[in-house]
Amino acid sequence: GAGVSQSPSNKVTEKGKDVELRCDPISGHTALYWYRQSLGQGLEFLIYFQGNSAPDKSGLPSDRFSAERTGGSVSTLTIQRTQQEDSAVYLCASSRVRGQETQYFGPGTRLLVL
Amino acid sequence: KQEVTQIPAALSVPEGENLVLNCSFTDSAIYNLQWFRQDPGKGLTSLLLIQSSQREQTSGRLNASLDKSSGRSTLYIAASQPGDSATYLCAVTINFNKFYFGSGTKLNVKP
């Protein structure tokens, strides 16, 4: 079956603009995760959704970052007033049950803020 | 805060060698530990998932062990091949919903 998909694959934006990144999880997966990987850094957890429960936003680096998940499926990560330090690869993953099962990752969105 | 460390940061070996990648974590109260590989320009591929109650998992030429008490996991790759060249990441899950990743080991297997 189809894996996790993300769009766009690449995004170049100007400092101060807002961007939206999209994630389509594997069908039937109730858990969805967002991470980012900055150049030379390890993966950083951002936010986690489990079904229709309120998300765990503890990893979001600032209030410019927000995410939503509509209908328990597609998720959008929004970065407002982008800064150059937001440049990174943003990865989405999904799993069938929170924390208990293998996470399947999408190919990522490479964001460059000029 | 949980810290996950991977050693070495980079490793280059000739084809056919057996090798071990190391992952250590500071807080032993983990829920599970997962090993991934990351190929350039691609997303992560899950290799092995070890629950906290388990000691090891095997898949093909890969074997991962977990020692919670010492805060260590190892990924053993047998008979390495050039196609194994990638960055290998370990990640621990805390309390179902907190995830911490190491910075990875970049492996190069030379033909």
Side-chain angles (χ1 to χ4, degrees):
Chain A
V4 178
S5 60
Q6 292 185 245
S7 61
S9 54
N10 290 282
K11 177 72 177 179
V12 181
T13 190
E14 294 179 348
K15 178 181 174 181
K17 301 276 189 176
D18 298 351
V19 296
E20 285 189 354
L21 313 179
R22 177 187 168 105
C23 172
D24 282 274
I26 293 173
S27 178
H29 280 195
T30 60
L32 186 147
Y33 320 79
W34 282 99
Y35 302 89
R36 74 176 175 182
Q37 187 169 35
S38 304
L39 187 64
Q41 305 288 322
L43 273 175
E44 177 187 6
F45 166 71
L46 298 177
I47 189 170
Y48 156 76
F49 294 89
Q50 171 58 43
N52 295 320
S53 302
D56 178 351
K57 305 179 181 180
S58 60
L60 293 178
S62 79
D63 58 9
R64 296 185 295 105
F65 288 72
S66 63
E68 62 178 21
R69 189 178 183 191
T70 54
S73 181
V74 172
S75 177
T76 302
L77 176 69
T78 301
I79 309 173
Q80 295 178 310
R81 304 181 303 281
T82 52
Q83 303 293 314
Q84 289 181 332
E85 60 263 29
D86 298 334
S87 297
V89 176
Y90 289 82
L91 288 160
C92 173
S94 69
S95 67
R96 286 196 300 166
V97 180
R98 65 174 185 177
Q100 296 178 359
E101 295 204 8
T102 300
Q103 293 182 42
Y104 296 87
F105 281 75
T109 293
R110 190 175 301 274
L111 174 66
L112 177 61
V113 182
L114 301 176
Chain B
K1 182 184 173 182
Q2 176 77 260
E3 299 282 342
V4 181
T5 304
Q6 290 188 244
I7 295 173
L11 182 63
S12 183
V13 299
E15 181 177 4
E17 271 203 12
N18 302 324
L19 56 99
V20 175
L21 307 181
N22 297 291
C23 173
S24 61
F25 45 94
T26 53
D27 185 346
S28 62
I30 65 170
Y31 189 70
N32 61 39
L33 183 144
Q34 195 165 359
W35 282 94
F36 300 88
R37 69 175 277 168
Q38 186 172 30
D39 295 279
K42 297 186 178 180
L44 298 179
T45 302
S46 179
L47 298 173
L48 291 164
L49 173 69
I50 312 177
Q51 302 292 353
S52 62
S53 58
Q54 298 174 321
R55 293 298 297 256
E56 66 177 344
Q57 284 286 327
T58 298
S59 176
R61 295 182 292 107
L62 305 179
N63 175 276
S65 66
L66 175 64
D67 184 341
K68 275 180 52 179
S69 61
S70 66
R72 295 179 187 276
S73 176
T74 60
L75 179 66
Y76 176 81
I77 303 176
S80 58
Q81 303 171 356
D84 295 332
S85 298
T87 297
Y88 290 79
L89 294 159
C90 73
V92 297
T93 303
I94 308 292
N95 294 334
F96 301 109
N97 61 356
K98 296 281 192 287
F99 310 94
Y100 299 90
F101 284 79
S103 54
T105 294
K106 188 172 184 179
L107 173 66
N108 178 36
V109 181
K110 297 171 289 187

